[in-house]
Amino acid sequence: MLDIKWVREHAGLVQTVADRKKIRLSVAKLLEWDERRRELLQRIEPLRQARNQRSQAISGLIREGRAVEAEAGKAEVRELGLQLSGLETELAEAELAYNQLLLLVPNIVSPDTPEGLSDEDNVEVRGTGAQPVFAFAPRDHVALGELHDMIDIPRGVKTGGSRSYYLKGAGVLLHRAVQQLALDLLLHKGFTPLEVPLMVRTEALTSTGFFPLGQDQVYRIDGGETWLAGTSEAALISYYSNEIVDLSAPRLLAAASQCFRSEVGSAGRDVHGLYRVHQFAKVEQVVLCEADPDLAESLLQAITRNAEELLRLLELPYRVMAVCTGDMSQKTYKQYDIETWMPSRQSYGETHSSSNLLDFQARRSNIRYRDAQGRLRFCYTLNNTAVASPRILIPLLETHQQEDGSIRIPPALRPYMNGLELLVPGAEASGASFR
């Protein structure tokens, strides 16, 4: 959410950003409703004051026994009440229309955000790691998962419907290992871990900028006001909603949680394997800091480097992409996506995302801090996916496969795999498969 005064002064810019982010918003209509509600408030306030003054005067007249004058005063109060009732109804309608449009106002974008219409226009910032070259016909992650009896998609679909899966044996160990590796990495960097609610209220998703535009991507529980979260970001930000926070040092928060996404609009896209599923696990980084653009930029780079460090530990080739305007969400000021090389796709696939939101979420969530002069200000927020699984298993399995179907375990993961160095087809994830 942007300050409405700022929107009035930069209406053209806001409309341009809305158009580039593909948000159906008329800033002119928003400002019309803003003007209307302010006009109504200017008419209502004097009437309210007059009614209160008349009511107090009537009480005095009654005490003095001046019944006739008191009755005349009551008639005036009733007339004022009728006028107020009509104007307050108009104000309620204006406030509703105004607030609905205000919730659609996008965050501005950073000057270095590339222009573009879709992810095809994102710009590579840097990349590292050589794409693997196989001297044999490599298997994809589904074939590898079936060979090792650790991925079962048919039974997942039988039980949970499309985009569902089972992980078994070594698949479960890898799924948990990458999450714990990511969490331990963040713990060493000063992040505080939280176990967060998986079910969140409408208010939490609205105040963090996921609603109203992303409502079709979230599972609603029993048609009520509770939803299954698609990321722990909403819960981590909402932890401090309506609070004044000490930001003498940035708040570094992390959560490992189950996530759920309906994937509406993705029919026919990435249907093979584990790339786009309804249920997954994610380790999320969230940062709250003072409203300092330079500090926020340095923190964006830092949380992005955390995700890159994890990929290097997993020995996976990746590239960092500057996300263009047409591929950004409503709430984002600046964004990087990290794409990891997936041999079966012969392309990079998105596995991580980093965002700087300035004070967009904090305004909606009413999270403030006191600056050096003691003034209350809205903080800045940032977030990053440290790892998301099972998607990360796609490059992990495919990149480290051997000709005989065995899969090498990167050294960083071995402590979380009971020391396992190699997954051997037909062997359990303990005992015979240790090497």
Side-chain angles (χ1 to χ4, degrees), residues 334-355:
K334 182 176 179 178
Q335 180 178 340
Y336 294 116
D337 281 351
I338 302 178
E339 300 176 346
T340 306
W341 180 254
M342 299 183 180
S344 64
R345 297 163 65 96
Q346 279 298 292
S347 66
Y348 289 93
E350 180 195 337
T351 52
H352 301 72
S353 183
S354 295
S355 298

Side-chain angles (χ1 to χ4, degrees), residues 189 191 285 296-307:
K189 294 180 181 296
F191 281 76
Q285 308 176 67
E297 173 64 19
S298 68
L299 288 167
L300 176 65
Q301 300 302 328
I303 60 178
T304 304
R305 286 196 301 270
N306 291 344

Side-chain angles (χ1 to χ4, degrees), residues 45 127 131 142 181 216 221 254 258 276 314-315 335 349 359 385 402 404-405 416:
E45 286 306 316
Q131 298 168 9
V142 175
L181 174 61
D216 62 349
I221 299 176
Q258 288 292 312
R276 194 179 296 275
L314 297 179
E315 301 177 13
Q335 180 178 340
D359 62 2
T385 310
Q402 313 292 313
D404 64 356
Y416 307 98

Side-chain angles (χ1 to χ4, degrees), residues 121-170:
D121 299 312
N122 294 344
V123 177
E124 183 173 343
V125 176
R126 58 184 173 272
T128 188
Q131 298 168 9
V133 177
F134 301 100
F136 56 90
R139 298 173 173 87
D140 71 8
H141 68 285
V142 175
L144 288 166
E146 291 172 348
L147 180 66
H148 288 264
D149 194 27
M150 61 180 169
I151 299 173
D152 193 330
I153 292 175
R155 285 192 174 101
V157 172
K158 178 182 71 174
T159 303
S162 65
R163 303 185 188 273
S164 298
Y165 59 91
Y166 280 98
L167 297 179
K168 299 174 60 181

Side-chain angles (χ1 to χ4, degrees), residues 61-342:
L61 292 171
I62 291 172
R63 286 195 300 270
E64 295 170 7
R66 299 158 65 180
V68 174
E69 294 176 63
E71 285 302 316
K74 289 179 182 179
E76 291 181 22
V77 168
R78 284 194 293 271
E79 177 60 30
L80 288 171
L82 288 173
Q83 293 180 49
L84 276 171
S85 178
L87 291 173
E88 286 171 344
T89 298
E90 291 184 50
L91 177 61
E93 294 171 351
E95 290 279 9
L96 178 61
Y98 165 78
N99 285 320
Q100 287 175 337
L101 291 172
L102 188 61
L103 286 175
L104 299 178
V105 171
N107 202 351
I108 57 172
V109 297
S110 68
D112 57 348
T113 292
E115 293 292 334
L117 299 177
S118 70
D119 57 359
E120 294 182 358
D121 299 312
N122 294 344
V123 177
E124 183 173 343
V125 176
R126 58 184 173 272
T128 188
Q131 298 168 9
V133 177
F134 301 100
F136 56 90
R139 298 173 173 87
D140 71 8
H141 68 285
V142 175
L144 288 166
E146 291 172 348
L147 180 66
H148 288 264
D149 194 27
M150 61 180 169
I151 299 173
D152 193 330
I153 292 175
R155 285 192 174 101
V157 172
K158 178 182 71 174
T159 303
S162 65
R163 303 185 188 273
S164 298
Y165 59 91
Y166 280 98
L167 297 179
K168 299 174 60 181
V172 175
L173 297 184
L174 283 170
H175 177 67
R176 292 183 175 274
V178 293
Q179 294 176 65
Q180 194 59 51
L181 174 61
L183 195 57
D184 285 351
L185 177 70
L186 297 181
L187 290 175
H188 288 307
K189 294 180 181 296
F191 281 76
T192 298
L194 284 81
E195 183 73 17
V196 301
L198 301 183
M199 299 180 293
V200 295
R201 298 168 60 189
T202 303
E203 179 183 355
L205 290 165
T206 302
S207 63
T208 50
F210 291 96
F211 284 3
L213 292 177
Q215 192 164 315
D216 62 349
Q217 291 294 321
V218 188
Y219 288 110
R220 193 171 196 161
I221 299 176
D222 293 332
E225 292 304 308
T226 308
W227 310 71
L228 289 174
T231 170
S232 61
E233 177 190 338
L236 290 172
I237 295 293
S238 296
Y239 184 78
Y240 289 113
S241 63
N242 298 309
E243 293 187 19
I244 299 172
V245 183
D246 178 8
L247 289 182
S248 51
R251 294 292 174 110
L252 310 178
L253 308 178
S257 70
Q258 288 292 312
C259 304
F260 306 87
R261 290 185 184 170
S262 66
E263 296 291 356
V264 168
S266 64
R269 291 178 56 204
D270 305 311
V271 294
H272 183 68
L274 301 176
Y275 190 84
R276 194 179 296 275
V277 293
H278 291 308
Q279 176 184 329
F280 55 98
K282 189 149 71 86
V283 177
E284 187 78 6
Q285 308 176 67
V286 160
V287 178
L288 288 78
C289 69
E290 294 182 344
D292 179 340
D294 292 337
L295 173 60
E297 173 64 19
S298 68
L299 288 167
L300 176 65
Q301 300 302 328
I303 60 178
T304 304
R305 286 196 301 270
N306 291 344
E308 292 183 71
E309 183 175 345
L310 180 85
L311 288 172
R312 288 195 296 272
L313 289 171
L314 297 179
E315 301 177 13
L316 297 175
Y318 69 87
R319 63 183 185 181
V320 179
M321 307 294 289
V323 175
C324 72
T325 52
D327 194 32
M328 292 175 73
S329 70
Q330 176 197 12
K331 58 191 174 72
T332 307
Y333 169 72
K334 182 176 179 178
Q335 180 178 340
Y336 294 116
D337 281 351
I338 302 178
E339 300 176 346
T340 306
W341 180 254
M342 299 183 180

Side-chain angles (χ1 to χ4, degrees), residues 12-23 106-109 325 330 332:
L13 172 61
V14 175
Q15 186 64 66
T16 297
V17 175
D19 294 342
R20 289 175 178 170
K21 289 189 175 185
K22 304 171 188 173
I23 298 172
N107 202 351
I108 57 172
V109 297
T325 52
Q330 176 197 12
T332 307

